[in-house]
Amino acid sequence: MKLVRYIHNSTERVGHLTSSNSIVDLSSEFNCYSMTEFISKQRHLCQKVCEYIKSTNDKIDISDVRILSPIKPRSLRDAYAFRQHVETSRRNRGLDMIEEFDNFPVYYYSNADAVTGPGDIEVDDVFMNKLDFELEVAVVISKEGKNIPCNEADDYIAGLMIMNDFSARDLQMQEMKLNLGPAKGKDFTTSLGPCLVTLDELTDNTTKSSEGNQYNLDMECFINNEKTSFDNLGNMSWTFAQIIERISMGTTIFPGDVIGSGTCATGCFLELNQKNNERWLKRGDRVELRVDNLDTLTNKIV
């Protein structure tokens, strides 16, 4: 399924996005009006939901709704899983690669209350000096767990979605000198969407391994229709299963938790910029993140 969260007739609802860009409403039929509630029940309802989607003729045109982020996250963590991105970004700043990168997957907490979906994004002036995009994919957790071994972790994933981890690089670089990770440079907006794609939709793109599922999904970014980035989700140095194993070590994860992959190779201006040739997002810029089978997440900076 391609699950969407949307506003129709002033009410938040959950639905399935069809191949013809219409929406099958699921909220009324299954009495679930939040995505977290739906994915918590979805494993038990899966067959009934699929049968309902196939049988119903009651569809809503996507132009009649406002698409939101697929989920209002309970928490938002972001990992650092693409080696090339880490190496290149550090090299551009005159830094060596971190030896500890291979020891365990690392992540930080972002602002779950600052999540938005497709569409215009209002950015305060304080963040506009060196505003950057970040091309990522995120997973949503569907059930509670703690101390989850890697070989079971994929069972805790409801699905995948596109993530744009907008960053104010000038603020981020200042605060990270204090060795507590990113904070103000990251907490103003993160875009998710447009849909949450369940794992059964990605079977043909999935390779199972002892370290967790690997996904062969091309990832691209276009700024004002100009292609700036390309990578593949299969190039993650740490799988989502390994990241979940680390996050859940001694800590409980819950339905609605969102975990980002980290930026892919070439997936931000920080990595693409060369010395004395910097480029950053400006007001009016249109950012499109495209990922195979996950659709296109489009935002405009206003």
Side-chain angles (χ1 to χ4, degrees), residues 175-230:
E175 63 196 7
M176 289 188 71
K177 292 178 182 178
L178 299 174
N179 294 323
L180 278 180
K184 181 50 62 181
K186 295 278 192 177
D187 75 350
F188 56 100
T189 191
T190 301
S191 183
L192 301 174
C195 52
L196 175 65
V197 180
T198 55
L199 298 189
D200 57 290
E201 293 273 349
L202 303 173
T203 302
D204 292 342
N205 306 89
T206 303
T207 300
K208 295 186 179 295
S209 76
S210 59
E211 296 174 340
N213 289 349
Q214 296 171 313
Y215 301 98
N216 178 23
L217 300 171
D218 285 343
M219 307 170 66
E220 299 175 300
C221 176
F222 293 78
I223 309 290
N224 301 325
N225 297 318
E226 174 194 348
K227 186 174 179 177
T228 61
S229 310
F230 178 82

Side-chain angles (χ1 to χ4, degrees), residues 16-27:
H16 165 70
L17 183 64
T18 72
S19 57
S20 60
N21 246 12
S22 59
I23 295 172
V24 175
D25 179 68
L26 301 175
S27 290

Side-chain angles (χ1 to χ4, degrees), residues 88-89 91-93 130-132 169 268-281:
T88 307
S89 297
R91 185 168 61 246
N92 288 352
R93 305 197 306 276
K130 292 185 177 181
L131 180 63
D132 206 353
R169 296 301 192 185
C268 64
F269 283 139
L270 180 67
E271 182 180 343
L272 295 169
N273 284 344
Q274 301 300 311
K275 192 173 182 180
N276 300 321
N277 185 28
E278 290 189 348
R279 179 182 178 187
W280 305 105
L281 293 174

